[in-house]
Amino acid sequence: MKINPYYQNLESSYLFSTIARKVAAFQTAHPDAPVIRLGIGDVTLPLAPSVVEALHSASDEQGVQETFHGYGDEQGYGFLRQAIQGYYADRGVFLAEEEIFISDGAKSDLGNILDLFAQENTVLIPDPVYPVYVDTNRMAGRRVIFADATEENGFLPLPDPAVQADLIYLCSPNNPTGAAYDRAGLQRWVDYAREMGAVILYDAAYECFITEPGLPRSILELDGAEACAIEFCSFSKMAGFTGTRCGYTIVPAALAGGELQRMWRRRQTTKFNGVPYIVQRAAQAVFTAQGQRETREAIAYYQQNAGLLAETLTELGIWFTGGQNSPYLWMKCPGGMESWEFFDYLLENAHLVGTPGAGFGKNGANFFRLTAFGDQQKTQEAAARLKRLLRG
Ligand code: PLP
C-alpha cells in the first residue's frame, strides 16, 4: 500500500481550531466577559416556514407506499431543476435541465469536479480565498499559482495575460473579502479564459447577497461564459441549508463540446446516489413566491447587520471591502497590526471574536474578516464596542 503522497503538501488547518482554543482560554480566565462572535461563516436563523412545511409533507409522503421515493435521479429531480431554471431565467440566463446537477452542497462539488481534469493542469487561485480550492488541488498533486488580491486592486484581481493557467477559480461575492466583480471585471476573466482555453470554476455561493444593481449574480450572464465556465451554487447561504445540505452545479452544454457535461454526469452516476427526496422538496419550496419572500427576509436581516458593521467601519475611517453585496466585511487591521495580533487585541479589549485574514492566504496577513450572520442585538453591541475601542 502506498498512501497519496500529496496530502503531505497540505498546510495544517489551524485557523478555526486556534480561534476556538484562544477563545476558550480567554473565557476560562475571564468567565464573566460577554464574548460576541463575529467569526463564524455559518447562518444562525432557522429554515423558512415554507421550507419546513415542505420537509414535513415530503416526510409524510415517504411513509406511504403510493408516494414513497427510493433512489432518484443522481442529477436531481426534475421539479427542482425546473425551479432552478426559472430562477436563472428571471435574470435572462436560459439553461437546459441537463445542464443543472443537484448535489449535497457546493463544497462537495467543488472538490469532486477535479475528477474531470488532468493532473498536469496549472490552477490559478486568488489569494486570499476560501481554502477548499487550494487544498483539493494540492491533494491531487496539481500545480497551484496565485492571483494576488490586494488593497490596491480592491481584492478583485484581474487576469494577467502573461500568466498561463488551465483552471481558474473565482468566487464572487468573495469569501473572505466580500468583494464582488462587476460585469467589466468578470468579462475580462471570461475573455482571458477563452483565449487560454482554460475553464473557470465559478463559486456563486453568496450571489443572493448582491444588492447593487447591475452586478452579475451568475457568470453565465456574461458573453461567452457558457463556453468556458462551470458554476457552483448552494442553498446554504441563500436559504439557511448549511445543516440541511443542498446545492447545484451548472455544467453548460457548450463547454468543451459537451464533453465536460457528459463526464460530470458519468462521474455523478458512478460515485453519487443523489440528494434525499425530502431535501430536494425543501429546496424547491425556496423558489415559490412565499419561499422567496421568507428567505429574502432572512437575507435582509443579515444585510442589516452587514450595513451596520459597514457604517461603523466607515465612521472609524477603517478601510474595508464587502458588506454591501456580502455577509462578510474584510477590514484592514488598524495601526498596521498583523491579523492574529489584532485578533488578540480585539478579544482582550472588546471581547469580540473575528477571523484573522492570515488564515485565508498570505495577502490576508493585515486584514480581518467580520461576519454578519449573527444575532442583530449582539451585532449592534459589537458595533458599539468597536467604536469605543478603535475611535481616534
Ligand atoms: N463556497 C464558499 C465560498 C463558501 O464560503 C462555502 C461555505 O462557507 C461553500 C462554498 C460551501 O457551501 P455548501 O454549504 O453548499 O457546501
Side-chain angles (χ1 to χ4, degrees), residues 123-369:
V123 186
L124 179 62
I125 302 180
D127 173 342
V129 87
Y130 183 52
V132 168
Y133 315 149
V134 175
D135 286 351
T136 50
N137 278 288
R138 292 233 164 104
M139 284 172 181
R142 274 191 204 87
R143 178 171 172 253
V144 175
I145 56 174
F146 294 96
D148 283 324
T150 60
E151 185 176 352
E152 288 67 40
N153 59 29
F155 285 92
L156 291 168
L158 291 172
D160 175 352
V163 171
Q164 188 81 34
D166 305 303
L167 295 176
I168 302 158
Y169 284 83
L170 294 177
C171 176
S172 180
N174 187 277
N175 177 13
T177 71
Y181 280 104
D182 62 12
R183 288 189 72 86
L186 209 48
Q187 189 68 54
R188 293 266 297 272
W189 279 109
V190 168
D191 296 345
Y192 165 81
R194 294 198 64 181
E195 209 144 291
M196 288 279 155
V199 169
I200 296 174
L201 302 174
Y202 189 77
D203 188 343
Y206 296 95
E207 59 80 20
C208 56
F209 279 88
I210 290 179
T211 52
E212 210 173 308
L215 287 193
R217 291 175 54 184
S218 159
I219 194 167
L220 299 166
E221 292 173 36
L222 280 291
D223 292 337
E226 69 287 351
C228 69
I230 295 176
E231 178 155 301
F232 302 85
C233 203
S234 169
F235 292 90
S236 283
K237 309 300 155 89
M238 183 207 287
F241 273 52
T242 50
T244 307
R245 310 303 306 143
C246 197
Y248 57 90
T249 290
I250 297 165
V251 188
L255 192 56
E259 187 63 18
L260 287 174
Q261 191 190 93
R262 281 190 292 278
M263 285 171 72
W264 183 241
R265 186 173 306 111
R266 187 75 169 88
R267 192 263 168 221
Q268 291 298 78
T269 51
T270 303
K271 295 196 186 180
F272 183 58
N273 246 342
V275 175
Y277 171 73
I278 297 166
V279 171
Q280 293 193 59
R281 281 291 183 202
Q284 180 194 21
V286 171
F287 296 111
T288 60
Q290 194 194 338
Q292 279 293 292
R293 243 187 335 271
E294 291 166 356
T295 49
R296 294 302 321 172
E297 237 170 69
I299 291 168
Y301 177 94
Y302 298 135
Q303 281 168 331
Q304 280 169 17
N305 287 346
L308 176 67
L309 292 169
E311 249 170 57
T312 306
L313 295 178
T314 304
E315 211 177 300
L316 290 166
I318 293 174
W319 191 92
F320 69 99
T321 52
Q324 185 182 1
N325 301 300
S326 163
Y328 298 122
L329 292 97
W330 180 249
M331 61 178 283
K332 191 170 179 176
C333 300
M337 266 188 259
E338 193 283 324
S339 63
W340 279 109
E341 193 186 347
F342 183 59
F343 175 92
D344 292 333
Y345 177 75
L346 208 54
L347 181 59
E348 282 289 332
N349 297 291
H351 309 155
L352 297 178
V353 180
T355 312
F360 299 98
K362 74 172 171 44
N363 291 323
N366 294 99
F367 289 84
F368 199 74
R369 190 188 77 172

